[in-house]
Amino acid sequence: MSVRLGYGTNGLTDLRLEDALGVLADLGYDGVGLTLDHMHLDPLGPDLAGRVARVAARLERLGLSVTVETGARYVLDPRRKHAPSLLEPEPEGRAARTALLVTAVQVAADLGAHAVHCFSGVRSAATGESTAWQLLGSSLGPVLEAAARAGVPLALEPEPGHLVESLAGFHRLRGL
């Protein structure tokens, strides 16, 4: 087994994406975690398909593999970090996050990415634990369907303080 090194583009937000990818290739990285955000590949901006095609061509020229990251801090709400989440009490908020993840799956498919990376979100004080698990399961349903259709794995990161914060939480989610 060989080790392949990658670097997340969210660590290079002061650079244009094209330049960041070139720097990473020049440094010898094999791949990138491409964060969908307004600073590099804005999933809500105009002509997403055209921009994705240009990024795919650049990745190909540089020989970089890619994973699509969805952990942009303020991509959906400029006032709340990582919000709305899949656990948002309001259905519109959950729907916005779900839609972002479905878009990420399409971007990943168009880039030939290994996976789409996401997280569960933090349960609000107003949401009971049982309800939070139900919200997470129903919010991820359309994302999992899109990922299955596209043939792109969905990677859920256990994150301290999130509903899914450990391997036990992951297994609980799989059992829903």
Side-chain angles (χ1 to χ4, degrees), residues 6 15 17 24 27 30-31 47 52-53 67 74 76 79 88 92 97 100 105 116 131 135 140 142 161 165 167:
L15 300 178
L17 180 57
L24 294 174
L27 289 172
D30 301 302
D47 189 28
V52 168
T67 296
Y74 298 97
L76 293 175
R79 291 173 181 84
E88 197 71 24
E92 300 82 15
R97 179 59 64 172
L100 175 67
V105 166
V116 170
T131 299
L135 293 175
L140 278 175
E165 65 179 350
L167 190 55

Side-chain angles (χ1 to χ4, degrees), residues 37-78:
D37 200 352
H38 67 278
M39 294 171 285
H40 281 159
L41 188 55
D42 186 349
L44 306 177
D47 189 28
L48 181 59
R51 290 181 291 118
V52 168
R54 288 188 292 280
V55 171
R58 179 82 168 136
L59 290 165
E60 178 71 26
R61 281 192 307 275
L62 294 171
L64 293 171
S65 61
V66 64
T67 296
V68 172
E69 302 280 343
T70 62
R73 292 174 186 91
Y74 298 97
V75 72
L76 293 175
D77 185 334

Side-chain angles (χ1 to χ4, degrees), residues 78-157:
R79 291 173 181 84
R80 297 184 306 143
K81 184 179 178 182
H82 297 303
S85 78
L86 295 169
L87 305 176
E88 197 71 24
E90 295 80 26
E92 300 82 15
R94 290 191 309 279
R97 179 59 64 172
T98 296
L100 175 67
L101 294 176
V102 168
T103 296
V105 166
Q106 185 59 55
V107 167
D110 293 345
L111 291 175
H114 295 286
V116 170
H117 166 270
C118 67
F119 52 86
S120 64
V122 176
R123 176 174 63 94
S124 77
T127 305
E129 186 176 352
S130 161
T131 299
W133 285 102
Q134 291 171 356
L135 293 175
L136 181 58
S138 64
S139 296
L140 278 175
V143 182
L144 291 168
E145 291 169 11
R149 282 191 309 273
V152 176
L154 186 66
L156 187 101
E157 178 182 0

